[in-house]
Amino acid sequence: MIRQLQKNEEIPYKLLLLADETIEAINRYINDSEIYIFENDNETIAVYALQKISDDTIEIKNIAVDTKHQGQGIGKLLLRDAISRAKAKGFKTIVIGTGDIAIKQLYLYQKEGFEIFDIKKSFYLDNYPNPIYENGIQLKDMVMLKKELI
Ligand code: ACO
């Protein structure tokens, strides 16, 4: 079941850190975001965070599934949940950003109807203290994707 995390509940940093490198980076958006969690047998196994960007646009700032539960369709479920909540809230566009070398994520987001509209050059060089490597390649640019909701 997916439900919104209440303000008095503990923020699931361990999960959020699967999708973002540092607590500092997460803290730049998390307190200003709505957090949704996926629970199974009282255990939180996945999370996503939605932040309003403008009156028309909302962004999925973080989406993560516990490693043991990846590849079982939960990420897709969360993405669809985020899209339907954004639509219900009246937003016109939902956006999401990921690393330029994040093949699986780019595949998933485009399969769910997101389209690339921007590249934030050097995002990972400018916003993180240490270099980030994925599969031996240094992460540099953030790819921004959007989906129109109407
Ligand atoms: N390689 C390529 N494609 C894959 C792989 C893989 N290893 N695993 C799954 N996929 C594909 C599947 O084929 C599936 O599409 P299909 O059902 O049409 O075949 C699609 O990805 C979605 O699969 P799910 O099982 O729904 O994905 P999952 O539950 O693993 O969630 C997620 C995806 C959120 C990216 C998860 O793997 C994760 O938490 N990764 C680590 C954190 C992360 O990178 N988060 C995103 C960062 S960007 C951001 O947060 C804004």
Side-chain angles (χ1 to χ4, degrees), residues 18-32:
L18 294 173
D20 209 336
E21 285 303 303
T22 64
I23 297 213
E24 290 69 32
I26 293 168
N27 283 342
R28 281 182 218 134
Y29 53 79
I30 205 68
N31 294 311
D32 192 29

Side-chain angles (χ1 to χ4, degrees), residues 50-112:
L50 281 182
Q51 186 186 41
K52 179 178 170 177
I53 302 297
S54 70
D55 285 347
D56 287 346
T57 307
I58 196 161
E59 179 169 348
I60 302 174
K61 298 294 292 188
N62 189 306
I63 178 164
V65 178
D66 176 59
T67 43
K68 289 195 300 287
H69 297 89
Q70 288 177 12
Q72 298 169 15
I74 298 171
K76 195 191 287 184
L77 196 75
L78 294 190
L79 213 50
R80 290 182 179 176
D81 190 74
I83 292 164
S84 70
R85 285 186 205 260
K87 214 181 260 184
K89 287 173 189 289
F91 288 98
K92 295 197 175 89
T93 310
I94 186 165
V95 304
I96 190 164
T98 193
D100 52 348
I101 52 171
I103 300 300
K104 174 176 152 182
Q105 291 79 348
L106 286 167
Y107 169 84
L108 169 61
Y109 305 155
Q110 288 178 84
K111 202 159 178 197
E112 290 304 311

